[in-house]
Amino acid sequence: MAEKKPRAWQRMLSGRRLDLLDPTPVDIEIEDIAHGLAFVARWNGQTWGDFPYSVAEHSLLVEELYHRTTPGAPPKWQLAALLHDAPEYVIGDMISPVKAAVGPGYGDLDDRLMAAIHIRFGLPSKVPATVKKAIKRADRISAWLEATQIAGFTLAEADRFFGHPDEGLISDLVIRPRPPVEVRRDFVARHEALLAQL
C-alpha cells in the first residue's frame, strides 16, 4: 500500500485550494491575499494600539515609500512593492531572527509563492535586482518608522538596525494601526488602481 502524502494545500475563503508546495497562479486571488495580510500582525503583535499592525498596512506603506524613493517608477514595480510580502497571507510573518533559525526552507517556500503571485498579476516571476533593492530600501524605511512609532524602539536602536531615513521623506508619515476591514479594503483598492495602469 502506497504511503499517503501529507496535505499541502489550504482552502482559501474564495474557494480556491492553494497548494503551498506547488502554488499555481490560477489559485491566487487578491481578495484572499488582502484578507490574509490584514489579519497577519507585524512585529509578532508587539505594537502599541487597539489593533495589530498588519502586513497589509505595512505593504501599503512600503508601496508609498517606494513611490517616494523611486519617482517615475512604472506601475508594475509599484505593484511589486505592494505585493512584496504577499506570500505571508498563507505562511505568516516571521521576524528576521526566526527566519534565520528556520533556515532556507522558509525562503524556498516564499520564493515559490511569490513567483505564482507575480505571474497571476502580470509581473515577471522574479523582479530585476535593482527593483528588488529599491523595494528593500523602502521596506527598511518602513521598518524604521514602525520600530520608532509603534514597536517601542529608541531612535538609536532603530538607527542601528535599519539606518536613519531622510527626514524629508518621512516627516508626514504617521502610523496608526487600523481595523482589518479598513486595511483590507484599502489594499484591494490600491491593487486595483495599480493593476489598471499596467
Side-chain angles (χ1 to χ4, degrees), residues 84-118:
H84 80 284
D85 279 339
E88 294 179 8
Y89 86 109
V90 287
I91 59 175
D93 180 40
M94 288 190 212
I95 59 174
S96 295
V98 175
K99 286 181 185 175
V102 169
Y106 180 89
D108 294 342
L109 184 60
D110 186 86
D111 289 345
R112 285 194 299 273
L113 284 161
M114 185 62 85
I117 290 165
H118 277 186

Side-chain angles (χ1 to χ4, degrees), residues 164-186:
H164 193 91
D166 176 0
E167 290 291 337
L169 188 70
I170 60 166
S171 60
D172 63 327
L173 296 174
V174 177
I175 296 174
R176 290 188 188 90
R178 301 181 293 151
V181 66
E182 291 180 17
V183 182
R184 180 180 62 202
R185 179 199 62 219
D186 290 352

